[in-house]
Amino acid sequence: MTDQTDKWRQGALHSIFDEGPPPPCPPRFNMARHTLAEAAAARPEASALIVASNPDAPPHEEWSFSALEDAVLRTAAGLRARGLCRGERVMLRLGNVSDFPVLYFGTIAAGGVAVPTSSQLTPAEAGAAAAEAEARFIALSDDLPILGAPDRATLLSTHDIRELQKSAPLKWDDPAGDTMADDPAFLVFTSGSAGRPKGVLHAQRAGWARRMMWRGWYGLTPADRVLHAGAFNWTYTLGAGLTDPWAVGAGAIIYDGPPDPAVWGRLVSRFEASLFAAAPGVYRQILSRGGDLNQFRGLRCALSAGEKLSPILFKRWTEATGVSLYEALGMSELSTYISAGPDAPPRPGFAGRPQKGRRVAVLDEEATKPVERGESGLLAVSRRDPGLMLGYWRRPEETAAAMRDEWFLTGDRARMDEDGYVAFEGRADDLMNAGGYRVTPAEVEEAISAHPDIAECGAVEARISDALSIIVAHVVPVEGAALNEDMLNAHAGAALARYKRPKAWVVTETLPKTANGKLRRSALRALGGAVS
């Protein structure tokens, strides 16, 4: 073996990061049992869930671990009594109420497949999702109607959901929940930031795989209380906000009141949260309209995921609060797998390092071999990762297309430095062509957003003739700031190479986002490129 071959296998010359084998998942495994049973046995009366609608009043709901486990097992039994069979789908169209996690984990405990959906879907969109999932049951809040539900589906009202919890509880060792690690557990729909949403089917083992995040991202312990700013349906909330805290015996806090950036610090202080999790957009709102930032100083750390965290936002948050902000990179197909954390200090411009137990690579444009460290390429994760999806729902061709030998192709572009830190460069299909040069939107957006008067930036390619495309930057000014074309061009000229600079600007109050706060580039492209 040559010295160079030896270095390649160690990942020293090429962009492969391997932190050892992932922890093996037991062959017989149920995600709901893994999440709840141990904490309910060890800390039955400890606070598991607080649902608050007003930081100045007692919680709207508060659940102990024993009460939560009991409700989940009763719901599982109720679903089985109503005819739910192994592998059948239960769609959740509910708000931020405790019925959501109880039904979610109750479905999984019963051997069914939970399908969380956003409360922001229109009735027709919800019906389309139910039809796509071939839902056997559809749980509806009273204020969230649905159109076009499958004829076979049984609708569950709020009253019906509560009636399920009156059933005699299932036992954890009941055959209904005696699932294998590769049996399906939940089905989520992508946010649709790059096109029509599609279903992503996950196995029971997805719950086990999250153990790699406990240390790799936030150093979770039973002493923690996690406040998550997301809605229950979001996998970021279901994972980092509920599943992980409960699996280690920590508490979870969810807000169900009206939108208000100033509420988060008050909730942190009122309920003594030690971790706060949100998307970057929430941190931007807090910094501009979030009230007393000293209320966050009691946090052990804050977490960011859902979209790229800009270095300027990271700097503003840490300077204003003194609280570490750990970014993570993830996706519906895998959850978070690259992150900063206690063992991987944040590095501006980088999402972090692959979590211990992950095998990650940056491949060439043909996805045949890893590129050199520092070079841009296609981000890929080992197909043996226990957190990887079972596949795209009813789309075998797309599932097969995403797999390449050892690797699952994430569809993202990235580069990896000598220490294994990964810089996210956007979706592979978002590459812009400017005068024959390929430019990543993330690079342009990061440079433009560094201006103190710019809150957000979204960059897209706009074709102005059959032979010419230009970069258009849509920018949101900081509240009270005034932007003009000369200022923007001067800033871009100082920050970017000539071919990377936007040739047109759109100043706007907001950027189009998905329900989970991700930039909708397809909508941004449709807005055109007229300078305002």
Side-chain angles (χ1 to χ4, degrees):
M1 180 186 299
T2 67
D3 180 61
Q4 180 159 323
T5 301
D6 183 53
K7 288 183 177 180
W8 180 86
R9 291 191 174 179
Q10 296 176 36
L13 292 179
H14 292 72
S15 292
I16 293 180
F17 191 93
D18 191 345
E19 269 287 85
C25 181
R28 308 191 84 86
F29 183 80
N30 183 272
M31 178 176 159
R33 180 175 185 171
H34 169 72
T35 302
L36 294 168
E38 186 173 333
R43 310 184 66 205
E45 300 310 313
S47 177
L49 175 64
I50 289 174
V51 182
S53 55
N54 183 346
D56 301 319
H60 180 60
E61 296 183 73
E62 185 163 13
W63 292 69
S64 68
F65 278 105
S66 62
L68 185 63
E69 179 191 48
D70 182 67
V72 166
L73 290 173
R74 289 179 184 275
T75 297
L79 288 169
R80 297 289 297 186
R82 281 182 172 243
L84 178 70
C85 296
R86 178 73 66 87
E88 288 188 317
R89 275 73 59 199
V90 178
M91 178 173 141
L92 285 69
R93 179 162 164 74
L94 306 167
N96 267 26
V97 292
S98 60
D99 290 340
F100 201 120
V102 167
L103 189 58
Y104 176 81
F105 286 106
T107 298
I108 296 171
V113 177
V115 186
T117 63
S118 172
S119 61
Q120 296 187 42
L121 295 179
T122 66
E125 288 173 327
E132 178 78 9
E134 300 170 10
R136 174 69 177 80
F137 290 90
I138 303 173
L140 297 168
S141 291
D142 295 337
D143 59 341
L144 293 174
I146 189 168
L147 293 176
D151 293 337
R152 177 175 177 268
T154 299
L155 301 184
L156 299 175
S157 66
T158 299
H159 173 76
D160 295 328
I161 296 168
R162 301 292 166 81
E163 287 296 307
L164 293 176
Q165 297 178 25
K166 296 179 181 179
S167 305
L170 201 73
K171 302 295 184 184
W172 282 124
D173 58 0
D174 188 280
D178 185 20
T179 51
M180 304 298 291
D182 281 331
D183 285 344
F186 61 97
L187 173 67
V188 296
F189 285 95
T190 60
S191 58
S193 59
R196 184 169 66 91
K198 57 186 173 183
V200 178
L201 184 64
H202 277 280
Q204 300 282 346
R205 56 177 159 75
W208 178 267
R210 298 194 62 85
R211 297 161 68 94
M212 292 183 278
M213 305 174 205
W214 296 355
R215 185 65 195 172
W217 190 7
Y218 27 69
L220 198 60
T221 74
D224 281 313
R225 271 192 172 183
V226 182
L227 169 62
H228 204 295
F232 273 138
N233 70 279
W234 196 6
T235 52
Y236 180 18
T237 311
L238 286 169
L242 299 178
T243 303
D244 293 345
W246 292 345
V248 302
I253 308 164
I254 295 292
Y255 175 64
D256 70 344
D260 179 5
V263 79
W264 301 116
R266 293 161 62 197
L267 288 167
V268 166
S269 177
R270 168 71 172 78
F271 297 110
E272 299 180 335
S274 57
L275 283 83
F276 176 60
V282 174
Y283 289 104
R284 281 191 290 267
Q285 293 169 1
I286 290 171
L287 289 169
S288 61
R289 305 188 305 277
D292 183 6
L293 298 181
N294 288 319
Q295 294 171 321
F296 291 97
R297 293 191 177 275
L299 291 172
R300 181 168 61 76
C301 65
L303 311 174
S304 176
E307 60 175 314
K308 181 181 174 66
L309 176 69
S310 72
I312 188 66
L313 180 57
F314 170 84
K315 184 173 185 289
R316 289 178 60 204
W317 167 265
T318 53
E319 288 181 350
T321 64
V323 175
S324 297
L325 181 55
Y326 296 144
E327 182 181 9
L329 177 62
M331 59 192 313
S332 299
E333 293 86 342
L334 186 62
S335 195
T336 59
Y337 60 100
I338 290 170
S339 55
D343 295 334
R347 185 172 294 184
F350 292 82
R353 283 167 38 121
Q355 296 155 358
K356 188 172 183 179
R358 309 284 192 184
R359 179 171 170 80
V360 175
V362 180
L363 305 177
D364 63 10
E365 300 304 320
E366 289 73 38
T368 58
K369 61 183 179 181
V371 300
E372 299 289 338
R373 292 279 173 112
E375 291 185 9
S376 177
L378 306 176
L379 187 58
V381 182
S382 172
R383 293 173 61 178
R384 293 173 289 173
D385 194 298
L388 185 62
M389 66 174 181
L390 288 168
Y392 293 115
W393 178 252
R394 301 290 193 253
R395 301 188 188 193
E397 298 83 4
E398 291 192 39
T399 301
M403 307 297 175
R404 191 70 54 86
D405 298 324
E406 156 74 1
W407 305 107
F408 164 69
L409 305 180
T410 67
D412 292 332
R413 297 189 64 83
R415 67 182 188 279
M416 184 184 294
D417 74 3
E418 293 297 329
D419 298 321
Y421 277 77
V422 176
F424 174 68
E425 296 184 338
R427 298 291 295 171
D429 54 8
D430 284 336
L431 273 178
M432 303 180 294
N433 187 318
Y437 293 95
R438 296 198 307 176
V439 182
T440 63
E443 184 178 9
V444 175
E445 291 162 359
E446 183 174 311
I448 299 303
S449 296
H451 193 287
D453 289 339
I454 295 177
E456 291 185 86
C457 174
V460 292
E461 175 185 341
R463 182 166 293 279
I464 60 176
S465 72
D466 290 341
L468 181 62
S469 294
I470 63 171
I471 295 174
V472 179
H474 298 248
V475 292
V476 178
V478 170
E479 189 173 358
L483 303 178
N484 60 67
E485 188 175 353
D486 290 341
M487 178 206 321
L488 293 169
N489 284 329
H491 173 60
L496 293 164
R498 183 179 296 276
Y499 68 91
K500 299 178 184 178
R501 298 171 195 167
K503 297 298 188 292
W505 302 88
V506 178
V507 179
T508 179
E509 292 183 359
T510 60
L511 298 179
K513 301 286 185 69
T514 68
N516 292 332
K518 295 182 181 180
L519 181 64
R520 293 178 55 229
R521 293 194 185 278
S522 57
L524 203 60
R525 294 187 190 100
L527 293 177
V531 179
S532 59

